[in-house]
Amino acid sequence: MIAIDQKGYYGEFGGAFIPEMLYPNIEELREQYLAIMADDSFEKEFRQLLKDYVGRPSPLYLAERLSEHYQAYIYLKREDLNHTGAHKINNTVGQILMAERLGKKRIIAETGAGQHGVATATVCALKGIECIVYMGEIDIQRQAPNVARMKMLGAEVRPATSGSKTLKDATNEAIRDWINNPEDTHYIIGSVVGPHPYPDMVARFQSVISEEMLWQLKEHTGKEDPDVIIACVGGGSNAAGAYYHYLNKDQVRLVAVEAAGHGIHSGESAATSVLGTKGIIHGSRTLLMQTPDGQIVEPYSISAGLDYPGIGPMHAHLIASGRAEAVSITDDEALASAYFVSKKEGIIPALETAHAFSALDKIEYDSSDVIVVNLSGRGDKDLATFIKHYDRFHK
Amino acid sequence: MIAIDQKGYYGEFGGAFIPEMLYPNIEELREQYLAIMADDSFEKEFRQLLKDYVGRPSPLYLAERLSEHYQAYIYLKREDLNHTGAHKINNTVGQILMAERLGKKRIIAETGAGQHGVATATVCALKGIECIVYMGEIDIQRQAPNVARMKMLGAEVRPATSGSKTLKDATNEAIRDWINNPEDTHYIIGSVVGPHPYPDMVARFQSVISEEMLWQLKEHTGKEDPDVIIACVGGGSNAAGAYYHYLNKDQVRLVAVEAAGHGIHSGESAATSVLGTKGIIHGSRTLLMQTPDGQIVEPYSISAGLDYPGIGPMHAHLIASGRAEAVSITDDEALASAYFVSKKEGIIPALETAHAFSALDKIEYDSSDVIVVNLSGRGDKDLATFIKHYDRFHK
Amino acid sequence: MSRIKKLFQEKKEDILNIYFTAGFPQLDSTEAVILSLEKAGADLIEVGMPYSDPLADGPTIQQSGQVALSNGMTLDILFSQIESTRQKTEIPLVLMGYFNQVMQYGEQQFFDRCREVGIDGLILPDLPIYEYETFYQDMIEQAGLDISFLITPQTSEERILKIDELTRGFLYMVSNSSITGAKKGISDKQVAYFNRINDMQLKNPRLIGFGISDNETFSTACQYANGAIIGSAYINTLKDSKDIRETTLEFVKMVRGESVKV
Amino acid sequence: MSRIKKLFQEKKEDILNIYFTAGFPQLDSTEAVILSLEKAGADLIEVGMPYSDPLADGPTIQQSGQVALSNGMTLDILFSQIESTRQKTEIPLVLMGYFNQVMQYGEQQFFDRCREVGIDGLILPDLPIYEYETFYQDMIEQAGLDISFLITPQTSEERILKIDELTRGFLYMVSNSSITGAKKGISDKQVAYFNRINDMQLKNPRLIGFGISDNETFSTACQYANGAIIGSAYINTLKDSKDIRETTLEFVKMVRGESVKV
Ligand SMILES: Cc1ncc(COP(=O)(O)O)c(C=O)c1O
Ligand SMILES: Cc1ncc(COP(=O)(O)O)c(C=O)c1O
């Protein structure tokens, strides 16, 4: 049985390793999140916004040309069609409603690829709430369109200039902001990471993905279960959402795809499942990339959303327990998949999602298998990167 | 009764003023399009792709903060949530299936904002068909993200370097290409313009917009009819789609919003309803901006998708007959609306669509009125323009 | 009898029809071009009304039109140029342009003025025969103007017969389905098409246009029709011309094969 | 009795606890800093273990940690530096760091080694009391180490009592809910909070930390608690120091109000 316990542990992973300054915030959330989510008015508003504002259900699309190429039934769960272009908004819609009910007046968030920052800025605009987004300086450069979008939406983007100047550091800065503003501020974490109850709360908001997959697969194939679900894992929120209702169905294989950067052992990688060891990052006991002395290692991936040295505790548990298979994909493999999928299906995936597609080249499957790839986001934000590397892949 | 006649006329507008070289293509299409569209297998494939690939139905969203601001019930028809980010794909999905059934092996298209080019490149990738998109040199510059997307999708973008180097000239080039390649090529026109049967065919493919509005409004408000429908008009395809099922319901006001550029009478404008006179453009008798000598005037708008000297013959008829009200919106009014809507609703509209929003400041309505704004596309492609002018609007 | 009909009655082969854009290279070169063409031995002249958006023309003709328009050419200027030139020549003149120009001038007015200034026929490539028959045939006939329609390799036999019936003066036989100035030479496929049309025994004489640029293509075309039409190749020559008269003389000689240009 | 307990038994007020980052400004400045602080009159020293991702610290301490890490500081080096410094001083030493560092060293090993080298107490800001009680309390007690937990203006009364119960040595009273080095001065609101805690009659002595930087803030803090903790202000001084001993002497004098730095 894969489940989270009372204290926020999936097996030995999870918990809430937070400074006392954050205790009231986290405790308030921990005590209330399940009750608030179970409340009828919350549920109603959440579902209505998912439908009318986000555009859910996101389609489940049988990709015929990919299916032919890979000789299997490849379905794409189209989170790229959500408002703002990725799965991230499922969670931010939920959390802004949560923040409203907790009486918060100010929202902070961290972002890597900028999708979570945009999704947060979006729901803050929707509700007229102040929004500050922390983003690594390097990510600000490589995901410029999303920075522009946040500005349009009225959010303030604050650069994180320490460490690797990427997602990890943006998260540090967001936590520091929260410590400094413990009373009126809600921190909308963008993935299934952070102290309990965040991993569980975010997974629940994202679980709408697999909730829809159940009936959509039934409609398409006659049965609820696919043979394989593939999702990329930065922190792991899109994967958590895609796996959620299948976690305890052992017949469904779960494939978690992480970024191997220039190669797993190149020293420039974010392949946490291989390189990670148990430790604490951002308030959670999980797998992370660190030195023997416990210093967190700066990760690398071409994909800002996967460029993170840890994974959510649920995924640490799924991988450690053997429930999920981890696959590591290099920058170039992901780029090749992005070009390939764009031309085969007319869908330009996000760089993060391109890693998930690459797993189709790595895993074993039968020609009768139904494989769902969670298409976590669209690639508009990555066009500059795609164009930069285009010629190298098109001789 | 608003309807097209046998020869492709809406009242005195329409027809097919084409050189003989195009006659076989246009005639083949004219003879077959209705039968093909009525065919079960076509209908089934079209509907399936709209659902699973495009992500239809697009939501009808009650914009609460806009409603409060404008003191009316403002609903947004969310064509921005379609795959590729605008209404254009409804038409290209239909036309690629049409081209397939006509046995065509090569697709050409013109594009202004690049949305139609992207939508065409997308369906060509989906079907594995060669795709060439003509685009004005100026539009290639101001809509760079869409140029990159077309490249990713495997299409060739050919610059139109004559005239104003915008949509009109791209259309000329596409027609020339078609004249040169009359046998294997289908020309996917991107709006309700061009010779009969294009205006009617494109309107029919886009009519899914108002088809959904009927039941969505019923669900939201208890009745099928809104009081007002607002849509921007470049060639007029999103407007045609949003009006279609309401054309003969005179109780529903139709508002057509065109681009006034630097001001209707500034000499830099695309306000065809005011400045246009009857004439022929791109094979259709309609309203267009021209000199007394019949030379077509180069239009101007900040919005590439509205920067066109004509309007589709349906709209010429709707306006000339008084069925639709025309509203002209300047660049700066549209920009102000883009900033306003982004911050009020968390939705960044396309520059084209921003013109439609501006009409809310211009028309009369009651506080009990249900107003649908057709949110024809998202603004990702326009971020550079928005950021360039941002400071001027945020003192 | 119209000048065009007369021409085709008197001459059955090797008819050379040359197109030029009015107002190009200079606003007032119209007369010089027409008189030089006549002098050089053209049989028929197609006067292009420059247009902002000439859909059915290639880049050469487009650009010449742009130049003409920026030189200030208008229909009124053109008509008076023709009117005065007509005093000096009896060569058949065909006006070629886009139908929007006709509409804006006022259809009836346009046709009347054509007649008045001495235009003999019209080529309006984007006026389809359906519109022609329904709205304009009577007006044009009453104005006493001839009109040429196009046929292409894709035109069906049935439709060719219809077009032949409506045409007065000569048929414009598009050599291959492509816009002016686009391709070079004449292929076997085209020859088959020419023969097919030949065998149809149409009532109108036929001129082959598109892709005719020199003596070789002109001579080949003349084997299969009453003559041919040259456009872009002549415009290109005019573009670099120092002396319209001389350039035109050399060009027509070259096309006729009477001398080779050095 | 531990050195910390002894200190608080002997001295009830004006206790000065100074934090520094081990390995900053130089890898081997640890001993000089400790001995200088003692000499200058600090009562207690908090030795910071530099960390890559110090969530609860402000930019000054973060940056000093980065410098220390690039100087090559590791836990093993730090422990041996302490071990040899401990031969020369009896001042109470509290180790401050993040729990991941403890985990990677091995919890039991870490606590044992602390004891061995002469560390007296621990501050582990991201080790919550639930985890402490459940997993580590016994180990730490058996190693004979004191441990300080934090309380903040937001901490509930019930929880303060619980924290007071678990704390051994002294309570770390966060002056306002913000990270180190973030704010300046002490407000009325804070005074109310200090008074509220004072009235609770807790078993542990209390030191006020965060925002203490000079004589004014130190004196105010000392009115409401047994003393105060200074971190960022001292690090900032060290950063520009030519002579650790002299800088430290002047800094402590300044804080104690014994002389004003020029
Ligand atoms: C499109 C997309 N997919 C995946 C991710 C990775 O995040 P997660 O692992 O939480 O789904 C991101 C992060 O920004 C993203 O933008
Ligand atoms: C988002 C959007 N709206 C509107 C238009 C204008 O086209 P139409 O008038 O055909 O809807 C365009 C054209 O590119 C567009 O991209």
Side-chain angles (χ1 to χ4, degrees):
Chain A
M1 206 18 216
I2 307 282
I4 195 161
D5 72 12
Q6 264 295 96
K7 284 291 168 184
Y9 279 89
Y10 298 90
E12 56 177 322
F13 300 104
F17 293 81
I18 46 156
E20 186 62 26
M21 293 81 97
L22 288 180
Y23 181 82
N25 273 321
I26 298 281
E27 185 62 9
E28 179 186 28
L29 199 60
R30 194 186 64 73
E31 278 174 355
Q32 299 201 38
Y33 83 110
L34 291 176
I36 290 176
M37 285 177 75
D39 182 75
D40 273 355
S41 84
F42 180 95
E43 170 78 8
K44 188 162 166 249
E45 194 177 352
F46 181 54
R47 295 285 167 173
Q48 185 85 30
L49 282 175
L50 287 188
K51 177 165 170 281
D52 293 344
Y53 186 69
V54 174
R56 303 205 71 90
S58 72
L60 185 74
Y61 164 67
L62 173 60
E64 287 190 12
R65 282 168 31 95
L66 283 184
S67 295
E68 196 192 311
H69 178 86
Y70 283 110
Q71 288 293 304
Y73 297 90
I74 314 242
Y75 285 88
L76 309 182
K77 181 61 176 158
R78 299 290 304 276
E79 296 299 303
D80 62 313
L81 293 181
N82 293 342
H83 182 44
T84 70
H87 66 291
K88 297 285 182 188
I89 190 120
N90 302 325
N91 169 43
T92 62
V93 166
Q95 285 206 46
I96 199 75
L97 299 182
M98 183 71 63
E100 240 185 357
R101 277 155 181 81
L102 295 173
K104 304 294 181 178
K105 302 274 172 274
R106 180 174 174 272
I107 296 293
I108 55 171
E110 88 295 341
T111 197
Q115 285 300 131
H116 175 60
V118 168
T120 304
T122 294
V123 295
C124 288
L126 180 68
K127 291 293 184 178
I129 298 181
E130 184 188 353
C131 178
I132 287 136
V133 179
Y134 292 90
M135 187 169 189
E137 257 192 347
I138 289 192
D139 293 339
I140 285 179
Q141 285 156 28
R142 65 179 159 171
Q143 308 277 228
N146 278 343
V147 177
R149 290 164 88 196
M150 288 184 263
K151 183 169 182 177
M152 283 296 288
L153 294 161
E156 183 191 338
V157 178
R158 293 197 185 151
T161 57
S162 63
S164 52
K165 304 180 178 30
T166 58
L167 179 53
K168 162 177 86 70
D169 313 286
T171 310
N172 291 344
E173 290 306 326
I175 293 175
R176 284 193 187 103
D177 181 313
W178 210 19
I179 291 175
N180 279 324
N181 298 282
E183 277 166 293
D184 62 340
T185 298
H186 176 69
Y187 176 18
I188 300 192
I189 295 187
S191 193
V192 288
V193 301
H196 180 65
Y198 276 103
D200 186 48
M201 180 173 68
V202 176
R204 283 171 190 263
F205 286 137
Q206 292 291 1
S207 71
V208 64
I209 299 173
S210 49
E211 187 185 303
E212 290 169 0
M213 276 162 56
L214 289 168
W215 60 261
Q216 288 173 323
L217 276 166
K218 182 104 186 198
E219 225 175 73
H220 276 283
T221 69
K223 53 193 191 93
E224 285 189 339
D225 298 353
D227 296 288
V228 186
I229 301 172
I230 302 178
C232 65
V233 175
S237 66
N238 87 83
Y243 299 166
Y244 200 85
H245 292 277
Y246 296 100
L247 285 171
N248 293 310
K249 295 186 170 206
D250 288 346
Q251 66 277 25
V252 180
R253 283 168 60 194
L254 308 177
V255 177
V257 187
E258 58 187 7
H262 292 145
I264 296 180
H265 301 290
S266 66
E268 294 184 295
S269 162
T272 310
S273 83
V274 183
L275 304 172
T277 53
K278 290 172 203 170
I280 294 169
I281 181 169
H282 297 139
S284 175
R285 190 205 299 255
T286 186
L287 293 175
L288 67 138
M289 289 162 49
Q290 54 185 334
T291 66
D293 225 33
Q295 305 294 339
I296 296 174
V297 164
E298 293 183 1
Y300 164 79
S301 165
I302 194 171
S303 151
L306 304 184
D307 193 354
Y308 185 71
I311 47 174
M314 175 202 275
H315 297 290
H317 180 57
L318 292 177
I319 291 170
S321 68
R323 176 69 188 89
E325 307 157 44
V327 173
S328 308
I329 297 296
T330 64
D331 288 359
D332 278 3
E333 287 166 344
L335 282 169
S337 289
Y339 299 122
F340 182 71
V341 172
S342 298
K343 290 185 182 66
K344 270 278 172 194
E345 290 291 347
I347 300 171
I348 306 173
L351 259 173
E352 290 74 21
T353 316
H355 287 74
F357 278 109
S358 284
L360 290 167
D361 296 316
K362 305 275 166 150
I363 63 167
E364 305 274 318
Y365 53 83
D366 288 338
S367 66
S368 62
D369 276 0
V370 171
I371 302 177
V372 177
V373 178
N374 195 33
L375 214 172
S376 59
R378 64 179 189 232
D380 295 52
K381 67 187 181 60
D382 299 310
L383 287 169
T385 305
F386 291 145
I387 297 303
K388 180 173 160 197
H389 294 275
Y390 194 90
D391 289 343
R392 215 158 43 81
F393 289 81
H394 298 82
K395 299 267 157 85
Chain B
M1 205 18 216
I2 307 280
I4 195 161
D5 72 12
Q6 264 293 96
K7 284 291 168 182
Y9 278 90
Y10 299 90
E12 57 178 320
F13 301 103
F17 293 81
I18 47 157
E20 185 63 25
M21 294 80 99
L22 288 180
Y23 181 81
N25 273 321
I26 297 282
E27 185 61 8
E28 179 185 29
L29 199 59
R30 194 185 65 72
E31 278 174 356
Q32 299 201 38
Y33 81 111
L34 290 176
I36 290 177
M37 285 178 75
D39 183 75
D40 274 357
S41 85
F42 180 94
E43 170 79 9
K44 189 161 166 249
E45 193 177 353
F46 181 54
R47 295 285 167 173
Q48 185 86 30
L49 282 174
L50 287 188
K51 178 165 171 280
D52 295 344
Y53 187 68
V54 174
R56 301 205 73 89
S58 73
L60 184 74
Y61 164 66
L62 173 61
E64 288 189 12
R65 283 170 29 96
L66 282 185
S67 295
E68 198 192 312
H69 178 84
Y70 283 109
Q71 287 294 305
Y73 297 91
I74 314 240
Y75 285 87
L76 309 181
K77 181 60 176 161
R78 300 291 305 276
E79 295 300 303
D80 63 312
L81 293 180
N82 293 343
H83 182 45
T84 69
H87 66 290
K88 296 284 183 189
I89 190 123
N90 302 325
N91 169 44
T92 62
V93 166
Q95 286 206 45
I96 198 77
L97 299 182
M98 184 70 64
E100 239 184 359
R101 278 156 180 80
L102 295 173
K104 304 294 180 176
K105 301 275 172 273
R106 179 173 174 273
I107 297 293
I108 54 172
E110 86 296 341
T111 197
Q115 285 300 130
H116 176 60
V118 168
T120 304
T122 294
V123 296
C124 288
L126 180 69
K127 292 292 185 180
I129 297 180
E130 183 188 354
C131 178
I132 287 135
V133 180
Y134 291 89
M135 187 169 188
E137 256 191 349
I138 289 192
D139 293 339
I140 286 180
Q141 283 157 29
R142 61 180 161 172
Q143 309 276 226
N146 278 343
V147 178
R149 290 163 88 195
M150 288 186 262
K151 183 169 182 177
M152 282 297 287
L153 294 161
E156 184 192 336
V157 178
R158 291 197 187 151
T161 57
S162 63
S164 52
K165 304 180 179 31
T166 57
L167 178 53
K168 163 177 85 71
D169 313 286
T171 310
N172 291 344
E173 290 306 326
I175 293 176
R176 285 194 186 102
D177 181 314
W178 209 21
I179 290 176
N180 279 324
N181 298 282
E183 276 166 294
D184 61 341
T185 298
H186 176 68
Y187 176 17
I188 300 191
I189 294 186
S191 193
V192 288
V193 300
H196 180 64
Y198 277 102
D200 185 50
M201 180 172 69
V202 175
R204 283 170 189 263
F205 286 137
Q206 291 293 0
S207 72
V208 65
I209 298 173
S210 49
E211 185 185 304
E212 290 169 1
M213 276 163 57
L214 289 168
W215 60 262
Q216 288 174 324
L217 276 166
K218 182 104 188 197
E219 225 176 70
H220 277 281
T221 69
K223 53 194 191 92
E224 284 189 340
D225 297 352
D227 297 288
V228 186
I229 301 172
I230 302 177
C232 66
V233 174
S237 66
N238 86 85
Y243 300 165
Y244 200 86
H245 291 278
Y246 296 101
L247 284 173
N248 294 310
K249 294 186 171 206
D250 288 345
Q251 67 278 25
V252 180
R253 283 169 60 196
L254 308 178
V255 177
V257 187
E258 58 187 6
H262 290 147
I264 296 181
H265 300 290
S266 65
E268 293 183 293
S269 162
T272 309
S273 83
V274 184
L275 304 172
T277 52
K278 291 172 202 171
I280 294 169
I281 182 170
H282 297 140
S284 176
R285 191 205 300 252
T286 186
L287 293 176
L288 68 139
M289 289 161 51
Q290 53 185 332
T291 66
D293 226 34
Q295 305 294 340
I296 296 176
V297 163
E298 293 183 3
Y300 165 79
S301 164
I302 194 170
S303 150
L306 304 184
D307 194 353
Y308 185 72
I311 47 175
M314 174 202 278
H315 297 291
H317 179 57
L318 292 177
I319 291 170
S321 68
R323 177 68 189 90
E325 307 155 47
V327 173
S328 307
I329 297 296
T330 64
D331 288 0
D332 277 3
E333 288 167 341
L335 283 169
S337 289
Y339 299 123
F340 181 72
V341 172
S342 297
K343 288 183 183 69
K344 270 279 172 195
E345 290 291 347
I347 300 171
I348 306 172
L351 258 173
E352 291 74 21
T353 316
H355 288 72
F357 277 110
S358 285
L360 289 167
D361 296 316
K362 304 274 165 154
I363 62 167
E364 305 275 318
Y365 52 83
D366 288 337
S367 66
S368 63
D369 276 0
V370 170
I371 303 176
V372 177
V373 179
N374 195 34
L375 214 172
S376 59
R378 63 180 191 232
D380 295 52
K381 67 186 182 57
D382 299 309
L383 287 169
T385 305
F386 292 145
I387 295 303
K388 180 173 160 199
H389 295 274
Y390 194 90
D391 289 342
R392 215 157 46 79
F393 288 81
H394 297 81
K395 298 266 158 85
Chain C
M1 189 186 302
S2 81
R3 293 187 189 91
I4 296 173
K5 295 221 176 68
K6 196 149 157 263
L7 167 67
F8 284 100
Q9 231 172 35
E10 288 168 3
K11 191 167 174 183
K12 303 285 179 204
E13 53 191 24
D14 294 334
I15 289 177
L16 176 59
N17 178 351
I18 292 193
Y19 168 96
F20 77 101
T21 302
F24 176 88
Q26 269 80 47
L27 177 61
D28 56 5
S29 40
T30 309
E31 178 166 312
V33 171
I34 291 176
L35 298 181
S36 305
L37 281 169
E38 182 187 28
K39 176 105 185 175
D43 299 300
L44 196 71
I45 298 174
E46 209 177 307
V47 184
M49 317 189 295
Y51 189 53
S52 58
D53 293 78
L55 283 184
D57 290 302
T60 303
I61 293 181
Q62 267 181 75
Q63 280 151 26
S64 68
Q66 282 308 318
V67 172
L69 289 173
S70 43
N71 286 344
M73 182 51 87
T74 64
L75 276 184
D76 277 331
I77 294 175
L78 175 56
F79 282 132
S80 43
Q81 288 177 347
I82 302 271
E83 195 160 29
S84 86
T85 307
R86 183 45 95 203
Q87 315 305 318
K88 302 168 193 162
T89 171
E90 281 299 307
I91 192 163
L93 293 174
V94 174
L95 207 53
M96 187 275 185
Y98 288 81
F99 196 65
N100 193 47
Q101 302 175 286
V102 180
M103 266 182 81
Q104 300 317 311
Y105 203 86
E107 293 92 342
Q108 187 67 59
Q109 249 176 305
F110 182 90
F111 304 136
D112 288 347
R113 187 84 178 114
C114 282
R115 178 67 195 174
E116 214 171 275
V117 303
I119 289 291
D120 303 293
L122 299 172
I123 302 179
L124 299 167
D126 64 344
L127 177 65
I129 57 173
Y130 165 76
E131 304 284 336
Y132 170 71
E133 266 189 293
T134 317
F135 301 109
Y136 306 110
Q137 185 167 8
D138 288 351
M139 278 190 222
I140 293 176
E141 282 183 7
Q142 270 157 32
L145 297 169
D146 286 339
I147 185 156
S148 292
F149 291 99
L150 277 58
I151 62 174
T152 84
Q154 274 73 43
T155 312
S156 69
E157 214 152 289
E158 189 191 338
R159 188 167 168 87
I160 290 174
L161 293 174
K162 171 94 193 171
I163 289 173
D164 185 39
E165 196 191 305
L166 292 174
T167 294
R168 282 199 325 284
F170 64 93
L171 275 171
Y172 193 130
M173 214 170 129
V174 176
S175 67
N176 57 14
S177 281
S178 69
I179 56 181
T180 58
K183 306 224 172 96
K184 273 218 153 194
I186 288 174
S187 70
D188 291 357
K189 212 171 141 193
Q190 286 170 280
V191 167
Y193 152 64
F194 299 151
N195 283 329
R196 177 164 61 82
I197 305 299
N198 254 332
D199 292 346
M200 283 183 74
Q201 312 273 1
L202 301 176
K203 78 174 171 60
N204 285 291
R206 301 178 314 282
L207 300 182
I208 292 178
F210 289 43
I212 313 299
S213 58
D214 52 16
N215 178 250
E216 192 192 328
T217 45
F218 179 71
S219 315
T220 313
C222 289
Q223 287 171 37
Y224 301 99
N226 306 75
I229 305 168
I230 295 183
S232 302
Y234 178 58
I235 302 279
N236 276 330
T237 320
L238 272 189
K239 198 158 52 189
D240 311 317
S241 163
K242 298 264 178 303
D243 178 332
I244 288 176
R245 216 184 140 106
E246 197 176 321
T247 306
T248 305
L249 204 68
E250 278 187 18
F251 182 78
V252 173
K253 272 193 181 163
M254 181 275 290
V255 170
R256 295 260 189 218
E258 288 161 12
S259 88
V260 180
K261 203 182 164 187
V262 266
Chain D
M1 190 186 299
S2 81
R3 292 187 189 91
I4 296 172
K5 294 225 176 63
K6 198 150 155 263
L7 166 67
F8 284 99
Q9 232 173 33
E10 287 168 2
K11 189 168 177 182
K12 301 287 181 204
E13 53 191 23
D14 293 335
I15 288 176
L16 176 59
N17 178 352
I18 292 194
Y19 168 95
F20 78 100
T21 303
F24 176 87
Q26 269 78 50
L27 178 61
D28 56 5
S29 40
T30 309
E31 179 165 309
V33 171
I34 292 176
L35 297 181
S36 305
L37 280 169
E38 183 187 26
K39 177 99 184 176
D43 299 302
L44 196 71
I45 298 173
E46 209 176 307
V47 185
M49 318 188 298
Y51 189 53
S52 58
D53 293 78
L55 282 185
D57 291 301
T60 305
I61 294 181
Q62 268 182 73
Q63 280 151 27
S64 69
Q66 282 307 318
V67 172
L69 289 173
S70 42
N71 287 343
M73 182 51 87
T74 65
L75 277 184
D76 277 329
I77 294 174
L78 175 55
F79 282 132
S80 42
Q81 288 176 346
I82 302 273
E83 194 160 31
S84 87
T85 306
R86 185 41 97 202
Q87 314 305 317
K88 301 170 193 160
T89 172
E90 281 301 308
I91 191 162
L93 293 174
V94 174
L95 207 55
M96 188 278 187
Y98 288 81
F99 196 65
N100 193 47
Q101 301 175 286
V102 179
M103 267 182 80
Q104 300 317 309
Y105 203 85
E107 293 91 343
Q108 187 67 59
Q109 251 178 302
F110 181 90
F111 304 136
D112 289 348
R113 187 82 178 114
C114 281
R115 177 69 196 173
E116 217 172 270
V117 303
I119 290 290
D120 304 294
L122 298 172
I123 301 178
L124 298 167
D126 65 342
L127 178 65
I129 58 174
Y130 164 77
E131 304 283 337
Y132 171 70
E133 268 189 290
T134 317
F135 301 110
Y136 305 112
Q137 185 168 9
D138 289 350
M139 278 190 219
I140 292 175
E141 281 183 7
Q142 270 157 34
L145 297 169
D146 287 339
I147 185 157
S148 293
F149 289 101
L150 278 58
I151 61 174
T152 84
Q154 274 71 43
T155 313
S156 69
E157 215 154 286
E158 189 191 339
R159 188 166 167 90
I160 291 173
L161 292 173
K162 173 92 193 173
I163 289 173
D164 185 40
E165 196 191 307
L166 292 174
T167 294
R168 283 197 324 285
F170 64 93
L171 275 170
Y172 193 130
M173 214 169 129
V174 176
S175 66
N176 56 15
S177 281
S178 70
I179 54 178
T180 60
K183 305 225 172 98
K184 272 217 153 196
I186 286 174
S187 70
D188 291 356
K189 212 172 143 193
Q190 285 169 279
V191 168
Y193 153 63
F194 298 153
N195 283 329
R196 177 164 61 83
I197 306 299
N198 253 332
D199 294 346
M200 284 183 74
Q201 311 273 0
L202 301 175
K203 78 173 173 57
N204 284 291
R206 301 176 316 281
L207 300 182
I208 293 177
F210 288 44
I212 314 298
S213 59
D214 52 17
N215 179 249
E216 192 192 329
T217 45
F218 179 68
S219 313
T220 312
C222 287
Q223 287 172 37
Y224 301 98
N226 307 78
I229 306 168
I230 294 182
S232 302
Y234 179 58
I235 302 277
N236 276 331
T237 320
L238 272 189
K239 197 159 52 185
D240 310 319
S241 165
K242 298 265 179 304
D243 179 333
I244 288 176
R245 219 182 134 107
E246 198 175 317
T247 304
T248 304
L249 206 67
E250 277 186 17
F251 182 78
V252 173
K253 273 193 180 162
M254 181 275 291
V255 170
R256 293 266 189 215
E258 286 160 15
S259 89
V260 179
K261 208 182 162 185
V262 267

